[in-house]
Amino acid sequence: MLTRRQISAGLIGGVLVPALAPSLARAFTPAELTGADRLFPAEASGGMVASREATATRVGVDVLAAGGNAVDAAVAVAFALAVTLPQAGNLGGGGFALVHRPADRSTHALDFREMAPAAAHRDVFLAPDGSVDSERSRYSHHAVGVPGSVAGYLDLLARFGSWPRQRVMAPAIRLAEQGIPVTRILHRNIEQRLERFRPWPATMAVIVRPDGSALQPGDVLRQPDLAASLRQISEQGAGAFYEGGIAELIAAEMTRHHGPITRADLAGYHTVWRAPVMGSYRGVGIASMPPPSSGGAHLLQMLNILEGWDLAALGHNSAAGLHRMAEAMRRAYADRAVHLGDPDFWEVPLDWITSKTYAADLRAAIDLDHASPSDTVAPGTPKAEGANTTHLSVMDRRGGAVSMTTTLNFGFGSGIVAEGTGIFLNNEMDDFSAKPGVPNAYGLVGGEANAVAAHKRPLSSMTPTLLLADGRAVGALGSPDGSRIITTVLQVILNLVDHGMNLAEATAAPRLHHQWQPDIVWVEEGVSPDTLDLLRRLGHTVEIRRAFGAAQSVLASPKGFQGMTDPRRPGGLAAGPDH
């Protein structure tokens, strides 16, 4: 068990993190950033990488040390994670990324979320009796969305990177060819899903011993098929995945198992550069991901609601503070169920959801002495005026920053490896509303906005986020864990800004989550029993749950870079060239 002294010192995730100033807002005032080179002097070395897997983090650190920028490092880490963290890192999934460009202080959002194939339709996951066939939507070839990760990584690199593709991908190819030691965490993840993998020989060939048992800690995981796929992408670019040899193998896998993805679906995939969601919280700039991610919209919505109360005066994780947080979450997730979807198919009232005026209306309706039953909290009406995901955060010495979240959805996605590729395929089609009003695997309720349709992107909770001060990126953060991603990012920000915690404390502190339906406040262990009793007296249904979220964060200050990987999921690392 970590002591408070260890947490305060930042002895987590492999890097000694210096304590932050008492408040993030106070630490990064414009006055302190006066002078163009104050925060990132041209001659300075350094930078910081945080990811869920230590070997992948070291790949990114090596890139920064050799002069690569934040995008070069982030893409190298992402490809490495496809090898070293196969349960979440991926080539067969999708995600979102935010990039801050220091040259002009601009921030950009890249959508490389998976897309539904052309054969997808509204009732594709309904059984003959009208019920939802969850087996089909989660563990079959029909569960697979057209992957976007390869296109996304290479699009990022082409637009904002400084290194050639071959150099960035070389470490991932080497790791796949030479092999990586199986950790206890990877062994446990494989063993837990072994029966789900057994129907798929190509999957079993990757993650079992010759006797059919799960790879054991200390075994070497070599992935020659994945290495060959990576090499093709390195040599030929994204075309290898979407139109070349890899596409042929994925389409053949689908044909053998009556899956819907065709060569035309793969060739038709495209990324989308979107305008990031922008806002502020107590003077700290917030940039996050727009739809089809729900993360940025509802992160800002909850921050706007909470900004009207003095959370610092209420005390960290006090009953009064937690009650306000739960009520803000309840209202945001109610709006998510109705108003959020793929903006190319649904008109998302984004400006209204993220407006401080709407937040003030919601805040005024919250009873500070009683919980609001979710059945009485309806989604708002606009007025005219996305559990196995992984996150990485990178900042470089020049002021560049990347916050990237990618996913297969479940651990190892659908559990299906496309024969001959070594690539695990996602099961992101379950993120659509298979039947409006019926919860998905994470208990999230969706409506018409997120109904299945051909070429549509499913709604997500991924929340890659950048913190800004005086137009500069001063932080990058995000998390995996399905519907709990948004509230994890929310609470790390609140802990930094309102409660004066350093980055280690802000990450390790116990968390709360409410998502409207089911009407339950989920709380991690570590919150005072007296506080929980007070919440129950206010009318909340409180349940203690296992740890959730796995925030990966980096910050830059005049004192240097800090990084933190969440202790809830061991095996991560935050490190930089100078650490």
Side-chain angles (χ1 to χ4, degrees):
M1 186 72 177
L2 292 164
T3 66
R4 183 174 177 83
R5 183 175 180 180
Q6 287 173 312
I7 293 171
S8 296
L11 292 170
I12 300 173
V15 59
L16 178 62
V17 182
L20 296 178
S23 162
L24 181 64
R26 199 155 61 246
F28 300 121
T29 61
E32 289 181 308
L33 297 176
T34 299
D37 298 323
R38 175 72 182 277
L39 185 54
F40 303 103
E43 70 276 9
S45 63
M48 185 66 67
V49 180
S51 87
R52 273 186 56 198
E53 201 284 317
T55 299
T57 288
R58 294 188 185 102
V59 166
V61 171
D62 288 346
V63 172
L64 293 179
N69 67 22
V71 172
D72 301 326
V75 174
V77 172
F79 276 115
L81 285 168
V83 181
T84 64
L85 193 74
Q87 62 269 46
N90 66 85
L91 302 184
F96 302 111
L98 285 182
V99 180
H100 182 78
R101 187 170 180 265
D104 58 5
R105 302 189 186 185
S106 60
T107 302
H108 309 263
L110 179 61
D111 172 1
F112 55 99
R113 182 71 159 147
E114 303 86 344
M115 294 175 66
H121 56 87
R122 179 187 175 89
D123 298 332
V124 66
F125 296 123
L126 297 188
D129 64 359
S131 63
V132 175
D133 185 347
S134 58
E135 194 72 18
R136 182 180 173 91
S137 71
R138 299 172 189 177
Y139 304 121
S140 77
H141 288 71
H142 282 82
V144 184
V146 181
S149 290
V150 172
Y153 303 158
L154 296 186
D155 203 355
L156 279 172
L157 189 65
R159 184 165 181 181
F160 294 116
S162 65
W163 280 16
R165 179 179 67 245
Q166 293 86 346
R167 187 179 184 187
V168 167
M169 293 187 64
I173 295 170
R174 184 173 63 252
L175 288 166
E177 289 177 338
Q178 297 178 358
I180 60 169
V182 174
T183 63
R184 283 199 207 97
I185 298 167
L186 180 54
H187 160 72
R188 186 171 64 246
N189 274 267
I190 293 170
E191 194 167 56
Q192 288 171 345
R193 297 166 177 84
L194 198 55
E195 292 309 309
R196 174 151 63 88
F197 295 153
R198 290 199 189 280
W200 314 117
T203 303
M204 295 293 284
V206 173
I207 46 78
V208 300
R209 288 176 157 184
D211 64 1
S213 63
L215 290 171
Q216 299 296 306
D219 286 350
V220 176
L221 171 60
R222 293 185 177 87
Q223 302 174 76
D225 285 347
L226 180 60
S229 294
L230 286 164
R231 192 171 293 284
Q232 288 181 60
I233 296 166
S234 174
E235 293 171 353
Q236 303 169 31
F241 188 95
Y242 294 98
E243 299 178 272
I246 300 171
E248 183 175 347
L249 290 169
I250 292 174
E253 173 75 21
M254 288 288 160
T255 298
R256 280 193 300 275
H257 298 280
H258 309 290
I261 294 177
T262 65
R263 291 287 297 270
D265 288 319
L266 289 161
Y269 182 83
H270 61 280
T271 62
V272 183
W273 287 95
R274 302 188 187 275
V277 175
M278 305 294 290
S280 66
Y281 182 68
R282 304 199 198 283
V284 177
I286 309 289
S288 196
M289 196 68 206
S293 170
S294 63
H298 297 307
L299 173 65
L300 280 178
Q301 183 181 19
M302 290 185 286
L303 287 170
N304 287 342
I305 294 170
L306 294 168
E307 194 172 35
W309 293 304
D310 188 347
L311 298 185
L314 295 174
H316 177 255
N317 278 358
S318 65
L322 292 178
H323 171 66
R324 287 161 172 78
M325 285 168 52
E327 293 300 316
M329 292 173 185
R330 188 195 310 271
R331 285 154 176 80
Y333 279 82
D335 280 340
R336 183 190 190 277
V338 170
H339 297 304
L340 269 288
D342 184 341
D344 297 332
F345 287 75
W346 185 265
E347 188 172 343
V348 179
L350 190 58
D351 290 344
W352 167 72
I353 286 173
T354 60
S355 73
K356 292 187 184 290
T357 300
Y358 178 46
D361 293 340
L362 292 174
R363 185 169 56 248
I366 292 173
D367 186 337
L368 300 183
D369 298 316
H370 300 90
S372 306
S374 287
D375 289 345
T376 68
V377 176
T381 302
K383 299 176 182 177
E385 22 184 54
N388 219 314
T389 301
T390 191
H391 182 85
L392 63 95
S393 296
V394 182
M395 296 190 73
D396 64 34
R397 64 181 178 83
R398 306 170 187 87
V402 177
S403 180
M404 184 194 304
T405 313
T406 73
T407 186
L408 287 167
N409 199 21
F410 291 5
F412 302 94
S414 62
I416 298 168
V417 168
E419 187 174 339
T421 69
I423 296 171
F424 280 93
L425 299 175
N426 67 82
N427 60 345
E428 289 296 344
M429 294 295 288
D430 188 62
D431 271 2
F432 282 114
S433 301
K435 184 177 183 178
V438 176
N440 70 2
Y442 296 98
L444 287 169
V445 176
E448 296 294 334
N450 193 38
V452 183
H455 307 304
K456 191 175 181 180
R457 299 172 195 250
L459 187 60
S460 171
S461 295
M462 290 184 277
T463 315
T465 298
L466 297 176
L467 306 180
L468 307 169
D470 195 29
R472 298 175 181 271
V474 294
L477 67 158
S479 175
D481 210 9
S483 61
R484 296 165 287 274
I485 293 174
I486 312 173
T487 53
T488 293
V489 174
L490 170 76
Q491 286 164 92
V492 173
I493 293 173
L494 296 178
N495 291 342
L496 290 168
V497 176
D498 288 302
H499 301 297
M501 296 183 181
N502 66 42
L503 187 55
E505 292 175 309
T507 304
R511 295 175 185 144
L512 166 148
H513 175 76
H514 198 300
Q515 60 184 50
W516 184 53
Q517 298 291 352
D519 191 355
I520 298 169
V521 177
W522 295 333
V523 183
E524 290 183 326
E525 292 183 0
V527 176
S528 162
D530 290 341
T531 297
L532 299 181
D533 184 56
L534 288 171
L535 285 175
R536 292 185 178 102
R537 292 184 189 183
L538 289 171
H540 293 285
T541 300
V542 178
E543 289 186 7
I544 305 297
R545 289 292 182 99
R546 65 170 178 81
F548 44 80
Q552 309 295 325
S553 310
V554 297
L555 295 177
S557 77
K559 296 180 181 180
F561 291 96
Q562 299 112 46
M564 181 65 190
T565 183
D566 204 315
R568 290 164 177 80
R569 297 198 189 184
L573 176 66
D578 296 331
H579 296 82

